[in-house]
Short mmCIF file of all heavy atoms in Angstrom, two decimals:
data_model
loop_
_atom_site.label_atom_id
_atom_site.label_comp_id
_atom_site.label_asym_id
_atom_site.label_seq_id
_atom_site.Cartn_x
_atom_site.Cartn_y
_atom_site.Cartn_z
N THR P 11 1.45 29.22 4.47
CA THR P 11 0.71 30.49 4.31
C THR P 11 1.73 31.60 3.97
O THR P 11 2.91 31.48 4.27
CB THR P 11 -0.03 30.87 5.60
OG1 THR P 11 0.95 30.98 6.64
CG2 THR P 11 -1.05 29.83 5.96
N GLY P 12 1.25 32.66 3.36
CA GLY P 12 2.13 33.79 2.99
C GLY P 12 3.18 33.36 1.99
O GLY P 12 4.31 33.82 1.99
N SER P 13 2.78 32.49 1.06
CA SER P 13 3.77 31.83 0.19
C SER P 13 4.27 32.70 -0.97
O SER P 13 5.12 32.24 -1.73
CB SER P 13 3.23 30.50 -0.33
OG SER P 13 2.12 30.74 -1.15
N ASN P 14 3.77 33.93 -1.08
CA ASN P 14 4.35 34.83 -2.09
C ASN P 14 5.43 35.72 -1.50
O ASN P 14 6.05 36.51 -2.21
CB ASN P 14 3.27 35.73 -2.72
CG ASN P 14 2.30 34.92 -3.55
OD1 ASN P 14 2.61 33.80 -3.95
ND2 ASN P 14 1.11 35.48 -3.81
N GLY P 15 5.68 35.62 -0.20
CA GLY P 15 6.75 36.39 0.44
C GLY P 15 8.09 35.74 0.21
O GLY P 15 8.18 34.67 -0.42
N GLN P 16 9.17 36.36 0.72
CA GLN P 16 10.48 35.79 0.40
C GLN P 16 10.72 34.44 1.06
O GLN P 16 11.31 33.55 0.45
CB GLN P 16 11.63 36.77 0.62
CG GLN P 16 11.83 37.28 1.98
CD GLN P 16 13.16 38.04 2.10
OE1 GLN P 16 14.08 37.83 1.32
NE2 GLN P 16 13.24 38.91 3.07
N LEU P 17 10.23 34.26 2.28
CA LEU P 17 10.38 32.92 2.89
C LEU P 17 9.46 31.92 2.20
O LEU P 17 9.86 30.79 1.89
CB LEU P 17 10.10 32.98 4.40
CG LEU P 17 10.31 31.67 5.15
CD1 LEU P 17 11.74 31.17 5.03
CD2 LEU P 17 9.91 31.80 6.62
N GLY P 18 8.24 32.37 1.95
CA GLY P 18 7.27 31.49 1.27
C GLY P 18 7.82 31.01 -0.08
O GLY P 18 7.71 29.83 -0.44
N THR P 36 -0.45 28.96 -0.07
CA THR P 36 -1.49 29.99 -0.11
C THR P 36 -0.90 31.35 0.24
O THR P 36 0.07 31.42 0.99
CB THR P 36 -2.62 29.72 0.91
OG1 THR P 36 -2.05 29.75 2.24
CG2 THR P 36 -3.29 28.38 0.68
N ASP P 37 -1.48 32.40 -0.30
CA ASP P 37 -1.18 33.75 0.18
C ASP P 37 -2.55 34.40 0.46
O ASP P 37 -3.58 33.71 0.43
CB ASP P 37 -0.33 34.53 -0.83
CG ASP P 37 0.49 35.63 -0.11
OD1 ASP P 37 -0.06 36.68 0.16
OD2 ASP P 37 1.67 35.37 0.20
N VAL P 38 -2.53 35.67 0.71
CA VAL P 38 -3.75 36.33 1.21
C VAL P 38 -4.98 36.12 0.32
O VAL P 38 -6.11 36.02 0.80
CB VAL P 38 -3.47 37.83 1.51
CG1 VAL P 38 -3.11 38.58 0.27
CG2 VAL P 38 -4.61 38.47 2.25
N ASP P 39 -4.77 36.00 -1.01
CA ASP P 39 -5.92 35.83 -1.91
C ASP P 39 -6.59 34.48 -1.73
O ASP P 39 -7.80 34.35 -1.91
CB ASP P 39 -5.47 35.97 -3.38
CG ASP P 39 -5.11 37.42 -3.70
OD1 ASP P 39 -5.50 38.30 -2.91
OD2 ASP P 39 -4.45 37.65 -4.72
N LEU P 41 -6.00 32.39 1.16
CA LEU P 41 -6.29 32.20 2.58
C LEU P 41 -5.78 33.39 3.37
O LEU P 41 -4.57 33.54 3.61
CB LEU P 41 -5.63 30.90 3.09
CG LEU P 41 -5.88 30.60 4.57
CD1 LEU P 41 -7.37 30.44 4.86
CD2 LEU P 41 -5.10 29.37 5.02
N ASP P 42 -6.74 34.23 3.76
CA ASP P 42 -6.42 35.40 4.58
C ASP P 42 -6.37 34.94 6.04
O ASP P 42 -7.43 34.57 6.61
CB ASP P 42 -7.48 36.48 4.36
CG ASP P 42 -7.29 37.70 5.22
OD1 ASP P 42 -6.41 37.67 6.12
OD2 ASP P 42 -8.00 38.68 5.01
N ILE P 43 -5.19 34.93 6.64
CA ILE P 43 -5.09 34.33 7.98
C ILE P 43 -5.80 35.16 9.06
O ILE P 43 -5.99 34.68 10.17
CB ILE P 43 -3.61 34.07 8.39
CG1 ILE P 43 -2.80 35.37 8.48
CG2 ILE P 43 -2.94 33.07 7.45
CD1 ILE P 43 -1.45 35.21 9.20
N THR P 44 -6.20 36.40 8.72
CA THR P 44 -6.94 37.20 9.70
C THR P 44 -8.42 36.85 9.74
O THR P 44 -9.15 37.32 10.60
CB THR P 44 -6.79 38.72 9.42
OG1 THR P 44 -7.46 39.01 8.19
CG2 THR P 44 -5.34 39.14 9.32
N ASN P 63 3.58 28.94 8.97
CA ASN P 63 3.06 30.29 8.80
C ASN P 63 4.18 31.27 8.41
O ASN P 63 4.91 31.77 9.25
CB ASN P 63 2.37 30.79 10.06
CG ASN P 63 1.79 32.18 9.87
OD1 ASN P 63 1.44 32.55 8.74
ND2 ASN P 63 1.71 32.96 10.92
N ALA P 64 4.28 31.50 7.10
CA ALA P 64 5.25 32.50 6.59
C ALA P 64 4.54 33.81 6.27
O ALA P 64 5.16 34.73 5.72
CB ALA P 64 5.95 31.94 5.35
N ALA P 65 3.26 33.89 6.60
CA ALA P 65 2.50 35.14 6.36
C ALA P 65 2.79 36.11 7.49
O ALA P 65 2.88 35.71 8.65
CB ALA P 65 1.00 34.84 6.30
N ALA P 66 2.94 37.36 7.14
CA ALA P 66 3.18 38.37 8.18
C ALA P 66 3.02 39.77 7.61
O ALA P 66 3.05 39.96 6.39
CB ALA P 66 4.60 38.23 8.75
N TYR P 67 2.84 40.71 8.50
CA TYR P 67 2.97 42.12 8.17
C TYR P 67 4.43 42.47 8.50
O TYR P 67 4.85 42.36 9.65
CB TYR P 67 2.00 42.95 9.04
CG TYR P 67 2.07 44.45 8.75
CD1 TYR P 67 1.07 45.08 8.04
CD2 TYR P 67 3.15 45.21 9.22
CE1 TYR P 67 1.13 46.45 7.79
CE2 TYR P 67 3.22 46.57 8.96
CZ TYR P 67 2.21 47.18 8.25
OH TYR P 67 2.27 48.54 8.00
N THR P 68 5.22 42.86 7.51
CA THR P 68 6.67 43.02 7.72
C THR P 68 7.18 44.44 7.46
O THR P 68 8.39 44.66 7.47
CB THR P 68 7.47 42.02 6.85
OG1 THR P 68 7.11 42.23 5.48
CG2 THR P 68 7.23 40.60 7.24
N ILE P 83 -2.63 40.97 11.43
CA ILE P 83 -1.89 39.93 10.67
C ILE P 83 -0.91 39.18 11.58
O ILE P 83 -0.78 37.95 11.48
CB ILE P 83 -1.17 40.59 9.47
CG1 ILE P 83 -2.18 41.24 8.53
CG2 ILE P 83 -0.33 39.54 8.70
CD1 ILE P 83 -1.60 42.10 7.44
N ASN P 84 -0.25 39.90 12.47
CA ASN P 84 0.84 39.26 13.24
C ASN P 84 0.39 38.66 14.57
O ASN P 84 1.10 37.87 15.18
CB ASN P 84 1.96 40.27 13.49
CG ASN P 84 2.69 40.62 12.22
OD1 ASN P 84 2.52 39.96 11.20
ND2 ASN P 84 3.52 41.63 12.27
N HIS P 104 5.70 28.38 13.19
CA HIS P 104 5.47 29.83 13.03
C HIS P 104 6.80 30.59 13.05
O HIS P 104 7.70 30.23 13.80
CB HIS P 104 4.59 30.30 14.19
CG HIS P 104 4.40 31.79 14.23
ND1 HIS P 104 3.59 32.47 13.34
CD2 HIS P 104 4.91 32.75 15.07
CE1 HIS P 104 3.62 33.76 13.63
NE2 HIS P 104 4.42 33.95 14.66
N ILE P 105 6.89 31.62 12.20
CA ILE P 105 8.13 32.38 12.13
C ILE P 105 8.00 33.69 12.90
O ILE P 105 7.06 34.45 12.68
CB ILE P 105 8.52 32.71 10.66
CG1 ILE P 105 8.31 31.50 9.76
CG2 ILE P 105 9.95 33.23 10.58
CD1 ILE P 105 9.04 30.26 10.13
N SER P 106 8.94 33.89 13.80
CA SER P 106 8.96 35.15 14.55
C SER P 106 10.32 35.85 14.34
O SER P 106 11.01 35.54 13.37
CB SER P 106 8.69 34.86 16.03
OG SER P 106 8.49 36.09 16.71
N THR P 107 10.64 36.75 15.21
CA THR P 107 11.74 37.67 14.91
C THR P 107 12.65 37.95 16.10
O THR P 107 12.21 37.91 17.25
CB THR P 107 11.15 39.00 14.39
OG1 THR P 107 12.20 39.98 14.34
CG2 THR P 107 10.07 39.56 15.31
N ASP P 108 13.89 38.27 15.80
CA ASP P 108 14.86 38.74 16.82
C ASP P 108 14.39 40.04 17.48
O ASP P 108 14.81 40.37 18.58
CB ASP P 108 16.22 38.98 16.14
CG ASP P 108 16.13 40.01 15.04
OD1 ASP P 108 15.28 39.82 14.14
OD2 ASP P 108 16.89 40.99 15.03
N TYR P 109 13.51 40.80 16.80
CA TYR P 109 13.06 42.09 17.34
C TYR P 109 12.36 41.94 18.69
O TYR P 109 12.18 42.91 19.40
CB TYR P 109 12.09 42.79 16.37
CG TYR P 109 12.75 43.48 15.21
CD1 TYR P 109 13.96 43.05 14.68
CD2 TYR P 109 12.13 44.58 14.62
CE1 TYR P 109 14.53 43.71 13.60
CE2 TYR P 109 12.70 45.24 13.53
CZ TYR P 109 13.91 44.79 13.03
OH TYR P 109 14.47 45.43 11.96
N TYR P 131 5.66 46.64 15.34
CA TYR P 131 5.90 45.37 14.63
C TYR P 131 6.38 44.32 15.63
O TYR P 131 5.83 43.19 15.69
CB TYR P 131 6.94 45.58 13.52
CG TYR P 131 7.52 44.30 12.97
CD1 TYR P 131 6.79 43.50 12.08
CD2 TYR P 131 8.80 43.87 13.34
CE1 TYR P 131 7.34 42.32 11.59
CE2 TYR P 131 9.34 42.71 12.84
CZ TYR P 131 8.62 41.91 11.96
OH TYR P 131 9.16 40.75 11.47
N LYS P 135 4.55 40.82 16.89
CA LYS P 135 5.16 39.47 16.68
C LYS P 135 5.19 38.72 18.00
O LYS P 135 4.92 37.54 18.05
CB LYS P 135 6.55 39.60 16.08
CG LYS P 135 6.59 40.12 14.65
CD LYS P 135 5.90 39.23 13.63
CE LYS P 135 6.67 37.95 13.34
NZ LYS P 135 6.02 37.15 12.26
N THR P 154 13.87 34.44 13.85
CA THR P 154 14.95 34.61 12.90
C THR P 154 15.28 36.10 12.73
O THR P 154 14.56 36.96 13.25
CB THR P 154 14.61 33.93 11.56
OG1 THR P 154 15.77 33.91 10.72
CG2 THR P 154 13.48 34.68 10.82
N SER P 155 16.37 36.38 12.03
CA SER P 155 16.81 37.77 11.91
C SER P 155 17.34 38.07 10.50
O SER P 155 17.81 37.17 9.80
CB SER P 155 17.94 38.04 12.91
OG SER P 155 19.04 37.21 12.65
N TRP P 156 17.23 39.30 10.09
CA TRP P 156 17.89 39.84 8.88
C TRP P 156 17.69 38.91 7.67
O TRP P 156 18.66 38.54 7.00
CB TRP P 156 19.39 40.02 9.13
CG TRP P 156 19.80 40.93 10.23
CD1 TRP P 156 19.02 41.39 11.27
CD2 TRP P 156 21.10 41.49 10.44
NE1 TRP P 156 19.78 42.17 12.09
CE2 TRP P 156 21.05 42.26 11.63
CE3 TRP P 156 22.31 41.40 9.76
CZ2 TRP P 156 22.15 42.95 12.12
CZ3 TRP P 156 23.42 42.08 10.26
CH2 TRP P 156 23.34 42.85 11.43
N LEU P 157 16.45 38.59 7.39
CA LEU P 157 16.12 37.65 6.31
C LEU P 157 16.42 38.25 4.94
O LEU P 157 16.06 39.39 4.69
CB LEU P 157 14.63 37.33 6.41
CG LEU P 157 14.12 35.95 6.05
CD1 LEU P 157 14.82 34.87 6.85
CD2 LEU P 157 12.62 35.87 6.29
N TYR P 158 17.05 37.48 4.08
CA TYR P 158 17.29 37.95 2.69
C TYR P 158 17.24 36.73 1.78
O TYR P 158 17.34 35.57 2.22
CB TYR P 158 18.64 38.67 2.58
CG TYR P 158 19.82 37.74 2.64
CD1 TYR P 158 20.43 37.25 1.48
CD2 TYR P 158 20.29 37.29 3.88
CE1 TYR P 158 21.48 36.37 1.55
CE2 TYR P 158 21.36 36.40 3.94
CZ TYR P 158 21.95 35.93 2.77
OH TYR P 158 22.98 35.04 2.83
N HIS P 163 11.92 41.93 -1.82
CA HIS P 163 12.80 43.06 -1.47
C HIS P 163 13.55 42.71 -0.20
O HIS P 163 12.99 42.17 0.73
CB HIS P 163 11.95 44.32 -1.17
CG HIS P 163 11.11 44.72 -2.33
ND1 HIS P 163 11.65 45.28 -3.47
CD2 HIS P 163 9.78 44.66 -2.54
CE1 HIS P 163 10.68 45.54 -4.34
NE2 HIS P 163 9.54 45.15 -3.79
N LEU P 195 16.81 28.74 5.97
CA LEU P 195 15.78 28.57 7.00
C LEU P 195 14.69 27.62 6.52
O LEU P 195 14.25 26.72 7.25
CB LEU P 195 15.19 29.95 7.39
CG LEU P 195 13.99 29.93 8.35
CD1 LEU P 195 14.32 29.20 9.65
CD2 LEU P 195 13.53 31.36 8.65
N1 NAP I 301 12.25 40.13 6.49
C1 NAP I 301 13.02 40.08 7.55
O1 NAP I 301 14.11 40.69 7.60
C2 NAP I 301 12.58 39.28 8.75
C3 NAP I 301 13.44 39.25 9.87
C4 NAP I 301 13.04 38.49 10.97
C5 NAP I 301 11.86 37.78 10.94
N2 NAP I 301 11.05 37.84 9.84
C6 NAP I 301 9.80 37.07 9.85
O2 NAP I 301 9.93 36.06 8.85
C7 NAP I 301 8.66 35.77 8.29
C8 NAP I 301 8.74 35.82 6.76
O3 NAP I 301 9.15 37.11 6.37
P1 NAP I 301 9.29 37.54 4.86
O4 NAP I 301 10.41 38.50 4.76
O5 NAP I 301 9.20 36.34 3.98
O6 NAP I 301 7.93 38.39 4.72
P2 NAP I 301 7.24 38.94 3.39
O7 NAP I 301 8.17 38.84 2.24
O8 NAP I 301 6.68 40.28 3.74
O9 NAP I 301 6.07 37.90 3.14
C9 NAP I 301 4.91 37.86 3.92
C10 NAP I 301 3.78 37.37 3.05
O10 NAP I 301 2.58 37.31 3.84
C11 NAP I 301 1.53 37.85 3.03
N3 NAP I 301 0.41 38.30 3.87
C12 NAP I 301 0.18 39.52 4.39
N4 NAP I 301 -1.00 39.53 5.03
C13 NAP I 301 -1.53 38.30 4.91
C14 NAP I 301 -2.74 37.72 5.34
N5 NAP I 301 -3.66 38.42 6.03
N6 NAP I 301 -2.98 36.42 5.05
C15 NAP I 301 -2.09 35.72 4.32
N7 NAP I 301 -0.93 36.21 3.86
C16 NAP I 301 -0.64 37.51 4.17
C17 NAP I 301 2.19 38.97 2.31
O11 NAP I 301 1.39 39.43 1.24
P3 NAP I 301 1.52 41.01 0.80
O12 NAP I 301 2.92 41.20 0.34
O13 NAP I 301 0.50 41.11 -0.28
O14 NAP I 301 1.20 41.80 2.02
C18 NAP I 301 3.48 38.31 1.86
O15 NAP I 301 3.31 37.59 0.67
C19 NAP I 301 7.70 36.76 8.92
O16 NAP I 301 7.03 36.16 9.99
C20 NAP I 301 8.59 37.86 9.45
O17 NAP I 301 8.00 38.51 10.56
C21 NAP I 301 11.41 38.56 8.74
#
Side-chain angles (χ1 to χ4, degrees):
T11 59
S13 64
N14 293 341
Q16 61 170 337
L17 183 60
T36 62
D37 206 279
V38 63
D39 289 344
L41 180 61
D42 177 351
I43 63 166
T44 67
N63 182 29
Y67 180 105
T68 57
I83 299 170
N84 291 349
H104 174 73
I105 316 303
S106 190
T107 169
D108 59 307
Y109 280 29
Y131 165 76
K135 292 296 288 185
T154 190
S155 61
W156 301 16
L157 214 55
Y158 73 95
H163 301 289
L195 173 57

